[in-house]
Amino acid sequence: MLVLTRKPNQAVRIGADVEVRVLEVCDGHVRLGIVAPRWVPVHREEVYREIQEANRQAAGTSPADLSAAVRALSPNGSGRVVREDPQG
């Protein structure tokens, strides 16, 4: 782990695209500003952990659960996907 000391209005660069700037230090809290491209996900740690857990649970979905969902969402309950003919 790299440990750096920064003062308010000083920044750290991560690669060419990400900047983390110290905006304010007050009463034991640090406010950070992050500038990153839209394609770089930026989350608080607790949100990131929740996303990871949701992904783990979704990955554990059984084929039977998926089949049941398809049946429930199909118009006639048959589980067959009905596609409209684009030619009309």
Side-chain angles (χ1 to χ4, degrees):
M1 174 188 301
L2 174 64
V3 178
L4 301 171
T5 302
R6 299 277 75 200
K7 295 178 181 176
N9 295 317
Q10 292 182 331
V12 173
R13 283 286 204 181
I14 302 172
D17 297 329
V18 178
E19 176 184 290
V20 180
R21 181 171 296 276
V22 177
L23 301 178
E24 179 181 29
V25 178
C26 182
D27 297 329
H29 295 277
V30 178
R31 290 186 60 213
L32 300 174
I34 301 169
V35 178
R38 287 194 167 278
W39 52 267
V40 174
V42 178
H43 303 288
R44 295 187 327 253
E45 179 71 19
E46 62 275 16
V47 172
Y48 178 78
R49 289 181 189 273
E50 288 177 18
I51 292 168
Q52 294 300 308
E53 180 58 29
N55 288 341
R56 273 192 289 282
Q57 289 179 4
T61 303
S62 73
D65 291 340
L66 294 175
S67 295
V70 169
R71 279 193 304 280
L73 295 173
S74 64
N76 59 8
S78 69
R80 297 174 70 197
V81 177
V82 179
R83 298 173 197 240
E84 292 183 19
D85 184 0
Q87 301 298 321

